[in-house]
Amino acid sequence: MPTKFMKLGFDEKVLRRLVNDSDGYVLEVGLNYYRGTPISAVERMELSVDGERVDDDRILVEINGKFLRLPQVPLAFTEYWGVKTPIRLHVTGEPLAAGEHDVDFVCEARVVYMQFAPGVYGMFDASASATLTVAEDSEN
């Protein structure tokens, strides 16, 4: 059965760093694709930590020094997510305990240059899972 998503083998470059900060924690996320994309092409973004889905309203997406709520991501046409420049997901709430955490990130996006029909695009899957370690003194 064919898939509608291209999935490239760069998963180890997606989930880069997990640290606590004063308002919760921050996950640094790279792009699992061979070229960058406008952040507005992202159609689905979800985060789970230790098997528990993080509420969308707790996540702020930082890209190019700007902060977006998840519903604002499709509207950010001027912001470009480059393959060498990660975004940061700021999660408000309690910081994570020091030690290892299982992180699952779901990211599905349109391939903006691969339009098959009006409103029908090729898609790529930039999702990844990893076990990341929060250091004892990881605040900023």
Side-chain angles (χ1 to χ4, degrees):
M1 172 184 250
T3 180
K4 74 177 206 175
F5 294 103
M6 289 185 284
K7 177 77 171 164
L8 301 179
F10 308 131
D11 286 3
E12 73 281 353
K13 297 180 187 270
V14 174
L15 302 174
R16 299 183 180 184
R17 187 169 169 235
L18 182 63
V19 296
N20 285 328
D21 73 2
S22 60
D23 297 322
Y25 56 94
V26 179
L27 175 65
E28 193 170 278
V29 179
L31 188 59
N32 181 7
Y33 200 55
Y34 68 98
R35 61 172 51 170
T37 190
I39 193 79
S40 61
V42 174
E43 292 192 354
R44 180 176 172 210
M45 189 179 288
E46 297 175 1
L47 177 64
S48 297
V49 177
D50 297 329
E52 190 169 317
R53 175 110 156 42
V54 176
D55 291 333
D56 290 351
D57 62 348
R58 292 181 52 210
I59 299 172
L60 277 176
V61 178
E62 180 185 358
I63 182 167
N64 304 323
K66 296 178 178 84
F67 292 85
L68 307 167
R69 295 255 176 227
L70 285 180
Q72 295 173 310
V73 167
L75 306 173
F77 296 104
T78 61
E79 298 308 317
Y80 191 76
W81 186 3
V83 293
K84 293 184 178 181
T85 307
I87 61 171
R88 289 183 182 87
L89 302 182
H90 294 260
V91 180
T92 59
E94 290 295 316
L96 296 170
E100 291 186 341
H101 295 276
D102 294 324
V103 178
D104 293 302
F105 175 68
V106 175
C107 182
E108 298 170 353
R110 292 182 310 281
V111 180
V112 295
Y113 56 87
M114 195 180 296
Q115 185 174 13
F116 301 122
V120 179
Y121 290 86
M123 302 285 290
F124 69 92
D125 182 351
S127 304
S129 297
T131 299
L132 300 175
T133 302
V134 174
E136 189 71 40
D137 60 346
S138 73
E139 188 165 318
N140 285 341

